[in-house]
Amino acid sequence: EVQLVESGGGLVQAGGSLRLSCAASGFTFDDYAIGWFRQAPGKEREGVSCISSSDGSTYYADSVKGRFTISSDNAKNTVYLQMNSLKPEDTAVYYCASGAIATCLWPIYYYGMDYWGKGTLVTVSS
């Protein structure tokens, strides 16, 4: 059974940093790209970043480019999202997901994903 478990969310002041983790199990980690999505209240779930397992390519939404960094630790079957210079508009529930393919088809959309974590809440205060 494929499982994705997010952690690392919390409350932070604007300008601060958080690191989210996505622990994966139930599949060969090298086989699946992992994406991060976020959903703010009343808004559609949007793709934030993605990392391909095929070649390590990374992708970012324009709204987070230069502030967020996605990485993976194959030994730990974990993908990270380092979030710096956080803004109040980054407040959302953050989810990791996979479309069960090795390459990110950027931009990623929620309807293209097969597996989801339950999410972790990030709140950025002004």
Side-chain angles (χ1 to χ4, degrees), residues 61-76:
D62 287 344
S63 58
V64 306
K65 202 171 291 183
R67 300 188 297 122
F68 290 11
T69 303
I70 192 171
S71 62
S72 67
D73 184 334
N74 288 9
K76 296 183 178 181

Side-chain angles (χ1 to χ4, degrees), residues 16-115:
S17 298
L18 283 174
R19 189 178 78 160
L20 306 184
S21 299
C22 173
S25 62
F27 63 94
T28 302
F29 193 67
D30 289 347
D31 286 348
Y32 290 175
I34 300 290
W36 284 98
F37 289 77
R38 66 185 181 186
Q39 187 165 22
K43 294 190 176 181
E44 192 171 277
R45 194 169 297 189
E46 63 170 344
V48 173
S49 184
C50 188
I51 184 164
S52 294
S53 61
S54 56
D55 61 3
S57 295
T58 58
Y59 304 86
Y60 300 95
D62 287 344
S63 58
V64 306
K65 202 171 291 183
R67 300 188 297 122
F68 290 11
T69 303
I70 192 171
S71 62
S72 67
D73 184 334
N74 288 9
K76 296 183 178 181
N77 284 8
T78 300
V79 171
Y80 302 100
L81 187 68
Q82 178 67 43
M83 306 186 297
N84 298 329
S85 302
L86 283 162
K87 305 175 181 179
E89 51 263 44
D90 295 318
T91 295
V93 178
Y94 283 72
Y95 302 87
C96 62
S98 178
I101 57 174
T103 302
C104 297
L105 301 178
W106 188 261
I108 52 176
Y109 298 99
Y110 66 89
Y111 47 78
M113 300 293 114
D114 295 311
Y115 304 107

